[in-house]
Amino acid sequence: ELPREDFETTLDLSVSAYIPPDYIPEESQKLDMYKRIAGVESAEEADDILDELVDRFGEPPRSVQNLVKIAL
C-alpha cells in the first residue's frame, strides 16, 4: 500500500458572498441566517432559503444570492 498523502486545497473566488448590514441589520438574525445557509444540502433547500429571505427582508442582493449558491 502507498502511504496516504495529505494535502490542503484553497479556492479563491472573485465573488462577493456575504450578507450586507443594510440587508439584515440585526446581528442575531444575520448569524442565524448564516448558519441556515451553511446547512443547505439541496437545490430545494437553497430555493426555500431564498424564498424566506424575500419574504422577511425583501429581494436579496447579489452577494446574498452568491452566498446561497456557494453554500449549495
Side-chain angles (χ1 to χ4, degrees), residues 40 42-54 68 72:
V40 166
S42 69
E44 184 179 337
E45 287 180 10
D47 289 342
D48 290 345
I49 290 279
L50 288 171
D51 288 343
E52 181 181 345
L53 286 166
V54 169
V68 174
L72 179 59

Side-chain angles (χ1 to χ4, degrees), residues 19-50:
I19 301 172
D22 58 333
Y23 184 63
I24 302 178
E26 179 63 41
E27 287 298 316
S28 62
Q29 289 177 329
K30 190 184 302 185
L31 288 174
D32 179 59
M33 196 53 65
Y34 272 121
K35 287 179 189 176
R36 294 186 54 214
I37 290 171
V40 166
E41 295 181 354
S42 69
E44 184 179 337
E45 287 180 10
D47 289 342
D48 290 345
I49 290 279
L50 288 171

Side-chain angles (χ1 to χ4, degrees), residues 9-26:
T9 303
T10 303
L11 179 63
D12 185 14
L13 301 174
S14 297
V15 237
S16 295
Y18 65 98
I19 301 172
D22 58 333
Y23 184 63
I24 302 178
E26 179 63 41

